[in-house]
Amino acid sequence: MKRLLPFPVLFALALTFVSLLPLYIERTMTHIMFADGSGGTVEWGRKVCTLRTFFSDYRYFRHNPHPELWIATNILLALSYALIIALLLSRLFNRAPKRT
């Protein structure tokens, strides 16, 4: 039996799908000023966002010590999510009953 969709097509479809999912890490910075005027503090944290949101804030990365690390991390996350989805769909389509 011929495959319904080849694996590269499934991978490309999965890659476009996972870019819209809010599963990517962004480093955040919050400046807190104290009301008594004694200064303030900076708190660093992380939030989960979509790839579009992550790259829309890219111009603020120059203050980050290692922006290439966060970009590479999120690209690897997108590729791994797409690979897992494509493998699962490929197995699902191959498990369909074969016609004789």
Side-chain angles (χ1 to χ4, degrees):
M1 181 178 145
K2 195 173 183 181
R3 284 185 169 180
L4 219 55
L5 288 173
F7 183 76
V9 173
L10 288 174
F11 184 71
L13 290 173
L15 197 56
T16 57
F17 174 70
V18 299
S19 66
L20 303 174
L21 295 176
L23 299 172
Y24 304 95
I25 302 167
E26 182 179 15
R27 190 165 183 198
T28 60
M29 180 188 79
T30 306
H31 185 106
I32 300 171
M33 298 190 70
F34 298 127
D36 61 358
S38 65
T41 183
V42 174
E43 291 185 4
W44 291 92
R46 287 166 185 74
K47 72 175 185 175
V48 178
C49 64
T50 63
L51 272 183
R52 182 177 178 162
T53 306
F54 178 78
F55 282 112
S56 69
D57 294 337
Y58 182 71
R59 63 181 171 199
Y60 300 111
F61 268 80
R62 61 180 169 251
H63 302 295
N64 198 341
H66 299 288
E68 65 278 354
L69 172 70
W70 293 104
I71 292 170
T73 301
N74 285 328
I75 289 173
L76 286 174
L77 279 173
L79 290 174
S80 62
Y81 294 151
L83 183 64
I84 290 169
I85 290 172
L87 285 173
L88 290 174
L89 287 176
S90 178
R91 282 187 177 244
L92 182 72
F93 288 147
N94 286 339
R95 195 185 297 185
K98 296 181 179 180
R99 297 181 187 177
T100 57

